[in-house]
Amino acid sequence: MLELAHDHLPSHLTSLARRYGNIYRLKCGNTTMVVLNSGDIIREALVKKWSDFAGRPHSYTGDVVSGGGRSISLGDYSEEWTAHRRLAHNALQRCSQQSLHGVIQKQALHLRQVLLDYNGRAADLSEDFTVAASNVITTLAFGKEYEKSSAELQRLHGCLNEIVSLWGSPWISALDSFPLLRKLPNPPFSRLLKEVARRDDIIRTHLDEYKVGVNTEAIAITSALLNGLGKPQDTTQGVVLTDTHVHMATVDLLIGGTETTAAWLSWTVAFLLHRPEVQYRVYDELCSVLDGRYPQYSDRHRLPVLCAVISEVLRLRPVAPLAVPHRAIRDSSIAGYFIPKNTVIIPNLFGAHHDPAVWTDPYAFKPERFLEGGGASTRALLPFGGGARLCLGEAVAKMELFLFTAYLLRDFQFVPAESQTSLPDLTGVASVVLKAKAYTVIARPRPGP
Ligand code: HEM
């Protein structure tokens, strides 16, 4: 039986893999889950046999937070889901080609100013990273960006974070396993319903503003999503998507695109504090390759040290460490084991990224492993999952990770806060997103070009 309340579940599941092998079965209440812990096995299920394992488990509370299973991330595999995902994918692709680069650069410069305003004082930057990542998505979706102190931003994040944390709480998951409990008063569940209603109000207001033309400037995603509506999609059943799909896609992008990118930035600074010589190497590379200018995403091929740091942080701390649970749509097999229909599949990306059969010294932060002659390949990484459920925001995330990190490391040297007796703790706290424990850091401006 699995203790789900473990404070670092991915690491616990990884230690079980060392004992029971890279694929094992767990019972959690009434649910049987199969945990996959190596890159090969995860790829077999998610990529090679994607059509067998592209489902999502159904749950009563999942339906509550996903508009009745209508979100992309929690919706089950179907013709309607495929059309919905394609609509959002095309909208994001159009943004990536048109405005995304400029939107991220603007937020990176804004973040630079926020860090300068600390005037060399030690600060916890996690909220600043969240605001920067969130502003990329809200600019694309609502045409709006917010200051950290903005009441509107606090309201939006307050309710999204509350939904994610309430939904993961035992008081609420119990409703999935014990239907009789749904008839009893349950204050956390009432709060969840209230927060979902608040979230939906906020998003509806923004979409309505867009439709009446109050705020149409630069709303690339929203216009691309709305333009795709009303036409029978390219499916055998002629699915027609509606406003609800645009609404839920916006929720998906806000939830999927904020805490993930922000957590990754916090991890990067934390790891670099532990290896200042790597931080200097990236800075040196940025200076010599860019000759004082700010980077473009197209510069990434000429910045191997920076790219190696990005890959190594994604390897050690895949911020969605257990991806999102999958469901077997039909009877199938993985690694030669029979997997019955409806089995819940947990891809342990954290485990795959620490597999000693693939990675030398798997727990050490060594970006140099990804440099020429270092012996590691980015092809063995799976931080965004794979197959039909591959992270929808992968392209957006990759551009953000590159540009935010390049801007930050070009302009600042990150040094440990003097008040800190030790460097940041690198174990982290794992829920849906694997986050670094709170730490403070000094962002010391680098001399100008
Ligand atoms: C799903 C990772 C950033 C939107 C996922 C999954 C992973 C992941 C592992 C689950 C895949 C699966 O179920 O097998 C990451 C990482 C990120 C990141 C590591 C950044 C460092 C983003 C961004 C967005 C986004 C920026 C939006 C712009 C989504 C959505 C899904 C998803 C909508 C659900 C896809 C589906 O169910 O079909 N992500 N993500 N993610 N991500 Fe990301």
Side-chain angles (χ1 to χ4, degrees), residues 58-117:
H58 297 172
S59 75
Y60 171 73
T61 58
D63 275 0
V64 167
V65 296
S66 65
R70 282 263 196 43
S71 74
I72 297 168
S73 49
L74 299 181
D76 202 2
Y77 188 77
S78 65
E79 288 264 323
E80 180 181 328
W81 176 85
T82 310
H84 190 192
R85 184 172 156 120
R86 191 181 310 126
L87 176 79
H89 178 77
N90 291 344
L92 275 177
Q93 211 170 24
R94 196 177 311 168
C95 281
S96 302
Q97 286 155 3
Q98 291 170 355
S99 48
L100 183 63
H101 200 280
V103 169
I104 300 172
Q105 279 179 316
K106 185 171 176 212
Q107 291 311 320
L109 284 175
H110 187 264
L111 183 58
R112 172 183 185 271
Q113 191 53 52
V114 169
L115 266 55
L116 285 174
D117 290 345

Side-chain angles (χ1 to χ4, degrees), residues 187-226:
F189 187 62
S190 310
R191 239 182 39 239
L192 179 69
L193 292 175
K194 221 165 88 191
E195 294 300 339
V196 169
R198 214 143 73 96
R199 171 197 80 186
D200 290 341
D201 255 4
I202 296 174
I203 300 218
R204 200 171 305 114
T205 306
H206 284 293
L207 293 179
D208 288 350
E209 277 180 9
Y210 177 77
K211 284 192 203 155
V212 295
V214 174
N215 195 3
T216 51
E217 204 189 325
I219 314 189
I221 292 184
T222 305
S223 59
L225 287 169
L226 287 168

